[in-house]
Amino acid sequence: MKSPSRRPTFAPSSLLVALPLCLLGACAGSPTSSPPPSRPQPQTAPVAPPAQPVVTTAPDLAPVPPTATANASTGALLTNHGNGVTAIALPGQREGQSVVQVFVRAGADEARPGVAELAAETLVASSDASSGRRSLRQRVGELGGTLDVDVGPTGIWITARTPARSWQDVATAMLAAMRDPAESRPQIERLRDEYLDARGREIWSAPEAGAARAMMLGDAGTSAYVANLLDRDASEVRQFLAVQCVPARTILSVETDADTAAVQRALDALVTAANWRGSPVQAAAPAQPRPQRSGIYWAPSDGNGLASASLVIPVPDAADPRSADALVLLACLTLDGIGGRLERRLRERGLGHLQFRSQWQHAGLCSSLVLTTRCTPTEAKVLWQAYDEARQSLRATPPNASELELGLRRATLATRLRNASDAARLRERVGAVLRPATDPSVEQRLGELARSGGGDARTAIDAFLDLPTAMVVFGGQPPETLTAVTQFELLPPGALAKLVGAPVQAQAAAAFPWLAPSLEAIGGAELLRRTIGCRATLARRVGGVAATSETLEYRAPDQLSRRREILGSTIATDLTAKGASEALEATRVSLDSVETRRILREQARHPISLLAAYARGEIQFRPIAQRDIGGREVLVLEALGGGFERLRIHVDATSRLVRVVEVWETLESGLRAHVQESWSDYRSAGGLRAPFRCVTEIDDGSSRTETVYSSWEPLSRGP
């Protein structure tokens, strides 16, 4: 059984224990089955990353007898097991074939962007050499099956299609993968790199599908999507697996052509035999939706040839009562790219020759119709205008009886196409089992609309026009007269080398054009090469209250002399190559290696120290992404070596000054904390431009410290 996750805290040095606990924390820093939820409606304001979950005591983890129920409308049998797992057996629809599916009721909205996808990949691709357990993907292949993984805003679905005789072996392998996910940092990082490579190649070969999926997950294009995956750390994946991928959030379903009651008994026995213990209840922070945004998104390229333009039109999931109405109105609007009001508007504008390829793209319960055509950039502009006019015409002139009749027929076909795959079909069937019996299915709602002649058209049209819609263009340049265009790159700058497995030397070389201007902005590469430390006076404030005043002298790599004034007491810290100690009045104690390295790393990651080490060739960086953060364009680079587990810097693309340093620190307890230092107030100091203010946040704001320098001067060695 996995132990509950706890927020890591920094251990104070020995002599601080005697001081009041309030300043000690300040100075040291402290670092039952239900239907899947429908995605909330679009929001315009940016949403902050979700907070870490709060661990509460489980009321009772003792085994609880399972409870079984039957669903008359679907023919399914359902068992709620004592450990929290819900097991569902459904009648098969294809002779000789079984479909086994795990549904985890936690998706992209429950974590930082990219974490849920990497967690899902870890579940299916990790293995355990010590026990001989092969990965779930390997095991399903050995049993003659195929595996599908889908991550949406509200859940993760892992689906295996297998011969009917093998479903029990597949279900056993799925339970084992959920019970014993990889926790090794090297394995998770390897899986992340392999997943990035696969995703990058998919986007390169089919950018339209990649863009549609990225937008359903809330990303503004493929570049932002890949950058988010690159940004994620193994500790975030482990945290998601420990908190979200637990029995109480897991539904295991089997669809096979055998007797349903016998299948349910066998399935219940497998869940019991898996010995997957229920975890303590974790009261996670509310989900933070990242809905698709409306507008035009353009990935430009050189040349004036044809571009690929795709309309991305989302439709509410089957659990949403608006889904059937939206499918009918979508058919009236586009007829899946072969007619409708859009075609009439295009003919009026001289673009009747455009031909569309239609496909349904999924991200869990979210689905979008993607209509793609080849056209010139100017024609893409007209396409967007014609599409907007066609949408608005629904409100001005609601569909007539003929349009509704055709739309109903097309919507019925679209429902089948949307659920054409085994994974999507079983996902929908399980949703029907979990939903209240009074909620009509999409097919039932379409039947009601047909009998009523279209229902309340005005209300349905208003709801449909409130849905976000977007056009994504790859190639060419946006026309100058086209306003409000969000431009993006197919893949993040500098990331392509990593995606195709370029050697470290090539990645480091790719960072030079980004960092060379930073060296000059700070004071020049030659002066930085000679800078080996600093002498400074500073004050730290926690929560706006003064905590310490300090003087220090640091010489890289292992010498530091520091004096801290706290509540009238002076703590002297001295680090040399021969030893490390700390003294309070007449008492002196030795510092262990963990605390010594932590103190030295704090100075080594100062922006001047990092750039000086880079200028001397002691540390290298590789480019990760280029993005807009808080209205400021920044370049994100990751350190290669330098004694840090994982360190990144954010460089202002305009001033070329280092604005943020983020690092993952391993604490004495073995837990890891995310530390982010935001640097500002750059001033001239000894020929360099040095930051005089730093705000340090641990684990997304669980601890916040402000450091203000009253003096700072570089220490240099001779030429």
Side-chain angles (χ1 to χ4, degrees):
M1 174 177 172
K2 297 181 181 177
S3 59
S5 300
R6 292 181 173 84
R7 184 182 298 284
T9 57
F10 281 106
S13 56
S14 306
L15 293 172
L16 288 180
V17 175
L19 296 176
L21 291 177
C22 59
L23 283 182
L24 170 62
C27 298
S30 58
T32 63
S33 180
S34 59
S38 299
R39 195 162 196 194
Q41 286 304 295
Q43 301 176 5
T44 55
V47 179
Q52 295 287 343
V54 177
V55 179
T56 60
T57 304
D60 184 11
L61 294 183
V64 178
T67 58
T69 58
N71 187 296
S73 61
T74 61
L77 296 177
L78 179 149
T79 303
N80 291 312
H81 286 265
N83 64 348
V85 171
T86 298
I88 301 176
L90 299 103
Q93 294 190 342
R94 299 184 183 180
E95 185 177 354
Q97 177 182 298
S98 295
V99 183
V100 186
Q101 185 176 81
V102 162
F103 167 34
V104 180
R105 291 181 293 180
D109 285 351
E110 273 74 27
R112 287 179 169 182
V115 171
E117 282 192 79
L118 295 176
E121 181 65 13
T122 301
L123 289 173
V124 303
S126 64
S127 57
D128 186 355
S130 62
S131 66
R133 180 177 68 83
R134 293 180 291 280
S135 74
L136 177 59
R137 185 173 282 133
Q138 289 175 310
R139 185 64 179 135
V140 170
E142 292 169 353
L143 293 169
T146 58
L147 196 68
D148 176 86
V149 181
D150 193 8
V151 178
T154 58
I156 295 171
W157 289 263
I158 301 172
T159 308
R161 184 178 64 183
T162 180
R165 66 180 183 278
S166 303
W167 76 262
Q168 294 188 53
D169 292 327
V170 171
T172 299
M174 283 186 170
L175 288 166
M178 295 293 297
R179 183 193 62 212
D180 303 315
E183 296 186 348
S184 143
R185 167 171 288 273
Q187 183 168 190
I188 293 176
E189 290 182 340
R190 174 181 60 80
L191 295 176
R192 180 196 63 188
D193 290 344
E194 292 174 355
Y195 186 74
L196 275 164
D197 181 76
R199 280 295 184 203
R201 293 177 189 278
E202 289 173 7
I203 290 171
W204 190 267
S205 60
E208 299 86 2
R213 190 173 183 281
M215 299 188 80
M216 284 187 282
L217 293 174
D219 293 311
T222 53
S223 180
Y225 168 77
V226 173
N228 284 327
L229 292 172
L230 283 165
D231 274 353
R232 301 284 67 86
D233 182 68
S235 61
E236 297 173 287
V237 177
R238 282 197 303 238
Q239 176 77 356
F240 186 94
L241 291 170
V243 173
Q244 307 291 2
C245 299
V246 295
R249 292 179 177 268
T250 301
I251 297 173
L252 176 63
S253 307
V254 175
E255 176 191 87
T256 187
D257 60 358
D259 177 71
T260 305
V263 171
Q264 185 67 6
R265 288 193 297 271
L267 183 58
D268 290 342
L270 293 177
V271 173
T272 302
N275 195 29
W276 186 14
R277 296 285 300 277
S279 301
V281 178
Q282 305 228 9
Q288 300 290 342
R290 300 171 61 243
Q292 178 178 325
R293 289 165 284 184
S294 296
I296 304 173
Y297 297 83
W298 203 301
S301 65
D302 296 333
N304 297 314
L306 293 179
S308 171
S310 298
L311 296 171
V312 181
I313 312 169
V315 174
D317 67 69
D320 192 317
R322 302 168 302 163
S323 181
D325 301 307
L327 286 170
V328 173
L329 292 171
L330 178 59
C332 293
L333 180 63
T334 69
L335 211 61
D336 290 357
I338 60 172
R341 296 193 179 191
L342 174 60
E343 182 190 39
R344 292 198 292 272
R345 287 296 191 279
L346 290 174
R347 290 187 182 280
E348 292 169 3
R349 289 173 169 268
L351 294 182
H353 61 280
L354 293 184
Q355 295 184 346
F356 292 90
R357 175 171 55 89
S358 70
Q359 56 180 325
W360 284 96
Q361 290 294 327
H362 298 277
L365 295 176
C366 293
S367 58
S368 291
L369 177 65
V370 183
L371 301 177
T372 303
T373 187
R374 298 283 291 173
C375 60
T376 66
T378 300
E379 289 174 336
K381 171 188 172 182
V382 177
L383 168 60
W384 178 251
Q385 294 170 340
Y387 175 67
D388 185 60
E389 290 175 1
R391 288 181 81 242
Q392 298 306 322
S393 74
L394 292 172
R395 178 176 285 137
T397 309
N400 57 36
S402 176
E403 286 180 297
L404 287 174
E405 182 182 359
L406 184 59
L408 282 163
R409 289 202 301 268
R410 194 71 190 186
T412 302
L413 175 61
T415 300
R416 298 194 189 103
L417 293 174
R418 194 167 63 160
N419 296 327
S421 70
D422 289 317
R425 178 176 48 76
L426 184 53
R427 181 168 57 231
E428 170 59 24
R429 293 190 72 190
V430 170
V433 173
L434 300 177
R435 286 195 298 272
T438 55
D439 289 357
S441 67
V442 174
E443 292 82 355
Q444 290 170 333
R445 176 60 181 156
L446 287 173
E448 293 173 4
L449 291 174
R451 289 188 293 273
S452 65
D456 187 353
R458 290 287 183 183
T459 302
I461 289 169
D462 288 341
F464 178 73
L465 295 182
D466 283 341
L467 295 172
T469 187
M471 182 175 72
V472 185
V473 184
F474 293 93
Q477 295 291 330
E480 294 181 0
T481 55
L482 189 59
T483 59
V485 176
T486 300
Q487 294 195 34
F488 68 96
E489 298 195 39
L490 185 62
L491 294 171
L496 183 59
K498 182 173 182 179
L499 294 175
V500 298
V504 170
Q505 295 85 349
Q507 296 181 48
F512 180 77
W514 294 28
L515 283 177
S518 295
L519 302 182
E520 296 306 313
I522 291 297
E526 185 56 37
L527 183 55
L528 281 168
R529 269 192 290 268
R530 298 201 303 269
T531 300
I532 58 171
C534 69
R535 184 180 293 114
T537 304
L538 57 100
R540 299 186 194 272
R541 300 171 65 88
V542 179
V545 179
T548 68
S549 59
E550 303 179 19
T551 60
L552 67 86
E553 184 173 308
Y554 166 70
R555 293 178 183 271
D558 54 11
Q559 296 183 42
L560 179 136
S561 176
R562 182 178 66 187
R563 301 295 180 265
R564 285 182 289 173
E565 298 288 339
I566 307 176
L567 293 180
S569 300
T570 300
I571 300 176
T573 306
D574 295 291
L575 311 180
T576 67
K578 296 182 179 180
S581 65
E582 204 162 62
L584 174 61
E585 297 178 349
T587 305
R588 180 172 290 275
V589 298
S590 297
L591 298 178
D592 61 25
S593 59
V594 173
E595 181 70 7
T596 300
R597 287 195 298 269
R598 188 186 68 78
I599 294 172
L600 291 172
R601 281 199 301 268
E602 181 181 358
Q603 300 303 318
R605 65 176 180 259
H606 186 286
I608 301 298
S609 298
L610 288 172
L611 291 176
Y614 178 75
R616 292 191 294 269
E618 297 169 357
I619 188 173
Q620 298 292 333
F621 289 88
R622 65 182 174 204
I624 294 296
Q626 183 172 347
R627 63 189 60 176
D628 185 282
I629 299 179
R632 172 180 284 163
E633 187 179 10
V634 299
L635 315 172
V636 182
L637 301 103
E638 185 173 270
L640 300 168
F644 301 100
E645 289 190 57
R646 187 180 183 212
L647 178 143
R648 288 181 175 178
I649 60 175
H650 297 192
V651 179
D652 189 311
T654 302
S655 67
R656 296 294 174 154
L657 301 176
V658 176
R659 295 296 184 184
V660 172
V661 177
E662 57 175 328
V663 68
W664 282 256
E665 278 281 355
T666 297
L667 312 180
E668 187 175 8
S669 63
L671 298 175
R672 302 181 81 246
H674 175 257
V675 180
Q676 178 171 298
E677 298 167 333
S678 301
W679 295 90
S680 59
D681 191 16
Y682 275 79
R683 306 179 191 175
S684 296
L688 297 175
R689 291 182 68 189
F692 273 62
R693 180 175 181 269
C694 176
V695 174
T696 302
E697 293 183 310
I698 297 174
D699 279 351
D700 298 325
S702 66
S703 173
R704 188 177 190 273
T705 304
E706 179 185 26
T707 303
V708 177
Y709 292 81
S710 54
S711 68
W712 187 96
E713 59 177 303
L715 298 178
S716 302
R717 63 187 177 194

